[in-house]
Amino acid sequence: MNSPTSPFVSLMYHNVCESPARGDTWSGFDRLSPSVTNYFVDRETFARHCDMISQSGRALGVAEFREMSRSGSQEETLDVAPNNSPRVLLTFDDGWRGTVAVAGPILEAHGLQALLF
């Protein structure tokens, strides 16, 4: 597969939780290493991220990303965001329940897509 050539950033999340962490601990996930939970966000934070991305017009859809990855050509497949600013691809790693139950409706409400690994 060719590597993408268009300017984009990928925001990677592990989980979106209903409530914010207390200190460094996420309710129900206190036995996990910070190397995992550092990529958790709460519902409100994720909704703010999605709002900013949606409002900016920089969201990179899954189909666009796949096409861009196949062709490796920005000109043929992807319109660059205003002012040549990078597009934003949302991704989730590890498939936690909050990815679907909490993040899914937020993504849908903002008209956004994400890749789940």
Side-chain angles (χ1 to χ4, degrees), residues 13 16 41-50 92 103 106-107:
Y13 301 90
V16 179
V41 295
D42 61 84
R43 172 190 292 276
E44 183 178 318
T45 300
F46 186 69
R48 278 196 320 267
H49 292 180
C50 288
F92 287 90
I106 296 169
L107 289 166

Side-chain angles (χ1 to χ4, degrees), residues 67-109:
E67 183 58 33
M68 180 179 70
S69 297
R70 278 188 214 110
S71 73
S73 173
Q74 171 182 331
E75 291 78 20
E76 295 175 20
T77 61
L78 182 65
D79 293 327
V80 176
N83 302 322
N84 288 328
S85 54
R87 301 288 298 272
V88 180
L89 177 68
L90 297 171
T91 67
F92 287 90
D93 193 19
D94 296 335
W96 296 94
R97 183 174 298 159
T99 301
V100 174
V102 181
I106 296 169
L107 289 166
E108 185 175 27

